[in-house]
Amino acid sequence: GDGVVRRIRFLEPMSVTLLGSHRRVAPYGMAGGSPGALARDALLGADGTRRELRGRDAVEVTTGDLLVIETPGGGGWGVPGAGSADGSAP
C-alpha cells in the first residue's frame, strides 16, 4: 500500500510536535502480502536546510519552513501477482 504525502508550509513561527509510528518496522502484510512502506518526516527550512525527523519529535519552525509527512503504506494482502481470474483477492 501507498501512503499519503502531506506538505505543510508555515506562515508564522510555531512549535510542532509529531507522534507517529512505522518509521523502523514496516506495516506487515497478510496472507503472504508484502509489507507496506515506512513512514518518513522531514523539515525543509526556508533557508534550504533539511532535517529528518523522528516519529516522536518536537521542533520549532519559522515562517516559510515546510513540513513533509510521508505516512506509512498499509501491508499487502495475498501473494503478489497471484490474484484470481476475476482480479479479486484470494
Side-chain angles (χ1 to χ4, degrees), residues 7-32:
R7 291 179 176 87
I8 302 168
R9 174 112 25 221
F10 296 96
L11 303 177
E12 60 185 70
M14 61 188 328
S15 299
V16 174
T17 303
L18 297 171
L19 178 60
S21 60
H22 294 294
R23 267 58 179 180
R24 287 183 277 163
V25 177
Y28 59 87
M30 299 290 295

Side-chain angles (χ1 to χ4, degrees), residues 13-84:
M14 61 188 328
S15 299
V16 174
T17 303
L18 297 171
L19 178 60
S21 60
H22 294 294
R23 267 58 179 180
R24 287 183 277 163
V25 177
Y28 59 87
M30 299 290 295
S34 299
L38 291 173
R40 295 174 39 175
D41 302 316
L43 180 65
L44 307 178
D47 61 0
T49 59
R50 178 184 179 93
R51 177 178 168 189
E52 297 294 326
L53 301 172
R54 300 179 309 256
R56 290 162 185 83
D57 213 337
V59 65
E60 297 296 318
V61 298
T62 61
T63 302
D65 287 353
L66 180 69
L67 177 64
V68 180
I69 301 171
E70 298 179 30
T71 63
W77 175 267
V79 177
S84 63

